[in-house]
Amino acid sequence: ESSTTPSVFFTAYAPVHFRWHQRFLEMAKIGAAGYVNQWFFSGNRDTPPEEMQYHAVWEPGRTTEELLAVIARRDFGLSDAAAARAVEGWRMISEAWDDFPYSAMTAGERDCYARGPMHYGPAHPLIFNTQSGYGLSERFRPSTGSPRYVSELLLALPFGLDRYLQLLEACRTRRAAGVQVLKQAIGETPTVRARMELDVCELIEIQLATLENVTRFYAAREKLWRTPVDLPAFRTIIDELTRIANAEIANAERSLPIVERDYRIRAYDADMV
């Protein structure tokens, strides 16, 4: 793939531009004679990761900061100072990905390929009773095959639940801080290209929040039958489940303007959300 991975192929590309550029430069360092790729998942051309690749091949002496500043000035109409701030936001977003808990079940491999909260994001249901289909449409529960959502905590393999949530929260919060810096640099009236970049960056942040909410919801749900529960403890867990559900409702509502205007989202639409 030229600009994405199975973890995020619900959208146009993975906006971790520092990592992309470094990847291409490292490939050149080890003497790779060439690099064959295709738009297999996305089909979106003219993306920032592809531009990073182009310059890594033809202008390897240029820095990531320099190349991204050109994009920010050219496509977003930013001043030199604002472009430098945008580059800092991109750096924070790229570095946050170091904390992403890259498990097979999260990344879309095997039983979770094109399934689960990291694929369906704010459209992903919170399943309390795993034996109920909840009347969900065939877009979630096809007549043949398994459901498109997940209802268990296998996605935390092999980290263990506590470590998985620790990494996930770190990744989400660091990315969110970077997205805010990028938004502030772009300003209140983004160009079309700036809006498209922000949509990708914000949507992945929203997907990570869904992944965290789904994981925390299932972890709380498991408490109900893994340990003895008296009435006060039962009410405490139900309150926790309700709080998580409300947080995910707010997260899903935040996604709707992006989902409704961004044609590049392939996994779900506003009706599913």
Side-chain angles (χ1 to χ4, degrees):
E1 246 299 327
S2 58
S3 56
T4 190
T5 78
S7 301
V8 296
F9 71 72
F10 54 85
T11 191
Y13 52 88
V16 286
H17 307 319
F18 278 83
R19 297 174 67 96
W20 284 112
H21 193 223
Q22 188 62 35
R23 176 194 190 196
F24 300 132
L25 292 175
E26 291 295 330
M27 289 171 67
K29 279 184 186 178
I30 63 173
Y35 174 43
V36 178
N37 62 32
Q38 61 178 328
W39 305 295
F40 186 72
F41 293 135
S42 297
N44 290 285
R45 297 173 298 281
D46 193 23
T47 65
E50 287 189 335
E51 189 162 341
M52 295 292 102
Q53 176 189 346
Y54 173 88
H55 289 293
V57 172
W58 297 108
E59 298 181 284
R62 299 182 74 180
T63 66
T64 311
E65 291 86 351
E66 180 186 358
L67 296 172
L68 289 175
V70 168
I71 292 175
R73 291 192 298 266
R74 181 193 68 208
D75 294 345
F76 304 168
L78 302 186
S79 66
D80 288 348
R85 189 67 175 147
V87 170
E88 185 56 32
W90 273 319
R91 186 196 304 278
M92 295 168 67
I93 291 168
S94 296
E95 291 177 350
W97 211 243
D98 290 345
D99 288 321
F100 181 67
Y102 196 90
S103 76
M105 293 298 194
T106 299
E109 299 174 28
R110 300 187 180 183
D111 287 342
C112 285
Y113 187 77
R115 291 176 57 201
M118 198 57 198
H119 185 68
Y120 284 108
H124 195 283
L126 298 171
I127 302 298
F128 181 78
N129 178 2
T130 59
Q131 298 182 71
S132 175
Y134 289 101
L136 292 168
S137 75
E138 281 202 356
R139 299 178 73 181
F140 292 101
R141 295 180 60 87
S143 55
T144 58
S146 56
R148 308 307 301 169
Y149 57 81
V150 299
S151 56
E152 305 291 351
L153 288 171
L154 289 172
L155 48 77
L157 288 170
F159 299 91
L161 181 61
D162 290 344
R163 179 63 172 155
Y164 186 83
L165 283 169
Q166 180 187 34
L167 290 168
L168 184 55
E169 183 177 12
C171 180
R172 177 185 57 77
T173 54
R174 290 175 67 193
R175 274 192 60 89
V179 171
Q180 285 305 307
V181 170
L182 183 62
K183 287 181 72 173
Q184 290 165 5
I186 289 172
E188 297 295 324
T189 55
T191 65
V192 171
R193 291 300 292 262
R195 181 73 267 169
M196 292 172 74
E197 176 71 11
L198 282 175
D199 282 350
V200 172
C201 292
E202 287 190 81
L203 189 64
I204 293 178
E205 179 198 334
I206 289 167
Q207 302 271 150
L208 289 168
T210 290
L211 178 58
E212 186 176 346
N213 286 331
V214 168
T215 304
R216 293 190 185 282
F217 187 90
Y218 293 164
R221 182 195 68 188
E222 296 288 296
K223 295 177 187 176
L224 287 173
W225 53 79
R226 292 199 181 277
T227 56
V229 179
D230 59 14
L231 185 57
F234 176 82
R235 286 174 173 160
T236 297
I237 295 170
I238 293 300
D239 286 346
E240 183 179 0
L241 290 166
T242 303
R243 178 187 59 75
I244 296 167
N246 286 333
E248 182 54 23
I249 288 169
N251 188 52
E253 288 175 339
R254 180 185 163 204
S255 78
L256 285 172
I258 299 174
V259 174
E260 289 170 344
R261 69 173 167 253
D262 197 325
Y263 63 89
R264 299 168 298 172
I265 301 169
R266 290 172 298 283
Y268 56 89
D269 57 22
D271 287 341
M272 291 179 74
V273 175

